[in-house]
Amino acid sequence: MLKAVLAKYVQEDELIEFIKKLEAELDEKIFSNNKAIVFGEKMSIKLESGHAISNTAKVIKHIRNSLVHSSDRYSREDCFMPFSESESIVSQYIPIIKFLSESVLFSTAA
């Protein structure tokens, strides 16, 4: 469902440009790096049309599931642990979540 909402209300080119700009500011490809481990799984956002929306939805869903179901599926090393370095993983994705939220809100405003 997240992918469907993003596909309908978020302009993929704008998302790609936002992530590229964010990575340039950070001077590190933390979102598009194919080897990035996010809560125990390799996750990345392919910055190409036709891929960025679905990859972003997959990463956001994975982070959400890691937060909500951390004790069910993941080993202690791979799950979200409050007040640990896993908070930095979540914090890195806040600008993307904010961008997506604002895009959906602006697109649906009357």
Side-chain angles (χ1 to χ4, degrees):
M1 284 196 325
L2 177 59
K3 180 182 169 186
V5 169
L6 297 181
K8 183 171 183 177
Y9 296 112
V10 176
Q11 297 296 319
E12 190 168 42
D13 294 338
E14 290 178 11
L15 174 62
I16 292 169
E17 288 306 312
F18 177 79
I19 293 173
K20 285 181 179 178
K21 181 181 169 190
L22 191 57
E23 287 183 334
E25 289 173 6
L26 297 170
D27 200 29
E28 186 179 1
K29 294 190 175 220
I30 58 175
F31 308 111
S32 61
N33 181 359
N34 289 332
K35 297 177 182 163
I37 304 294
V38 179
F39 295 115
E41 290 189 33
K42 285 185 180 181
M43 293 276 159
S44 69
I45 300 171
K46 192 170 185 179
L47 300 178
E48 295 178 8
S49 291
H51 297 280
I53 294 283
S54 61
N55 292 162
T56 302
K58 183 178 179 181
V59 171
I60 298 302
K61 182 181 179 219
H62 178 69
I63 291 171
R64 180 249 179 227
N65 287 344
S66 298
L67 294 171
V68 175
H69 304 293
S70 61
S71 62
D72 298 342
R73 179 173 175 211
Y74 302 97
S75 68
R76 193 170 247 343
E77 297 81 31
D78 298 338
C79 69
F80 174 77
M81 299 295 293
F83 309 111
S84 72
E85 78 177 59
S86 64
E87 286 189 1
S88 67
I89 295 170
V90 175
S91 297
Q92 289 175 338
Y93 285 87
I94 288 176
I96 293 176
I97 294 169
K98 181 180 177 193
F99 173 83
L100 297 173
S101 302
E102 289 175 349
S103 296
V104 171
L105 287 171
F106 292 147
S107 295
T108 59

